[in-house]
Amino acid sequence: MNPVVLLDLDGTLVDSSQGVLHALRAGFAGAGLPAPDDAVLRTFIGPPVHDSLRRVGVPADRHADVVHGYQVAFAERGNLMTHVFDGIPTALADLRDAGAVLVVATAKPHRFAVPVLAHLGLAGLLDGVVGAPLDESESKGQIIGRALASLGDRRPDRTRVVMVGDREHDVTGARENGLACLGVLWGFGDRAELEAAGAAALVSTPGELAAAALAQLGVRT
């Protein structure tokens, strides 16, 4: 069985901050709520949105209104305000050349993840995409679990699978599924967050990603 690399999207493969912040402001405004400042809104990038809304004190009965406005604004404009981190296409190509199966496991709804990957030219470097349901109700652990299930007969022993992500939710979600997680330092989390969550190792730049992932998987290059 080929080794598998599961990849977070926002903050790992792409910088979606401009579009996400734009869409979040629209979501709060549409729900008649004041938006947190940009520093707080940036912490929404990566985790399931309902977790972030709870964290900033939005009442549960208003979540659907904020999420609806956010998704409308993101679909209309925000999704196209995303760009690929420098070095990511090369890292993905190197991983595939080494025989790794690459699957995105993202808390972004599948409906938005697939077109943005195609728009940015990354779709051809990936073997699969597993995103959140449209209501964004799943935890990162549940999404990672579905990504593993999507492999079917290609699914290897879990020692031959690694998650890559930039937030604590990627690390804890991987652990819930018996996987190690590499934390990346170019995204929206930081060293302290990733170390506290228990990342197996930290990767400083996209140029180091392929080698770090293959080393974690025990693949000799």
Side-chain angles (χ1 to χ4, degrees), residues 131-184:
L134 192 57
D135 65 3
E136 305 195 39
S137 59
E138 289 185 342
S139 70
K140 194 58 181 275
Q142 290 172 311
I143 294 164
I144 292 171
R146 286 199 295 108
L148 289 171
S150 76
L151 295 167
D153 293 340
R154 296 181 299 169
R155 180 172 174 173
D157 180 271
R158 295 189 186 209
T159 62
R160 299 274 286 170
V161 184
V162 67
M163 178 69 196
V164 178
D166 68 311
R167 299 299 309 274
E168 62 182 322
H169 305 78
D170 299 306
V171 182
T172 57
R175 186 168 59 245
E176 289 170 11
N177 287 278
L179 307 178
C181 182
L182 295 179
V184 304

Side-chain angles (χ1 to χ4, degrees), residues 3-5 95 162 164 182 203 208-219:
V4 174
V5 182
L95 285 166
V162 67
V164 178
L182 295 179
V203 186
E208 301 170 292
L209 176 57
L214 294 172
Q216 182 66 40
L217 294 164
V219 176

Side-chain angles (χ1 to χ4, degrees), residues 17-113:
S17 57
Q18 187 178 6
V20 171
L21 266 59
H22 159 77
L24 284 169
R25 293 187 203 105
F28 276 91
L33 297 171
D37 64 30
D38 284 359
V40 173
L41 289 179
R42 283 179 65 85
T43 68
F44 280 59
I45 304 173
V49 68
H50 293 281
D51 290 354
S52 298
L53 291 171
R54 281 190 290 269
R55 178 169 43 79
V56 301
V58 176
D61 63 357
R62 304 305 304 279
H63 285 200
D65 294 334
V66 177
V67 170
H68 174 73
Y70 161 75
Q71 290 184 343
V72 169
F74 198 77
E76 289 177 346
R77 183 181 174 199
N79 218 11
L80 302 181
M81 298 167 72
T82 300
H83 68 268
V84 181
F85 286 114
D86 291 343
I88 286 297
T90 299
L92 298 181
D94 289 347
L95 285 166
R96 291 193 84 180
D97 287 347
V101 174
L102 306 181
V103 178
V104 166
T106 175
K108 184 188 292 297
H110 187 83
R111 171 182 170 183
F112 300 134

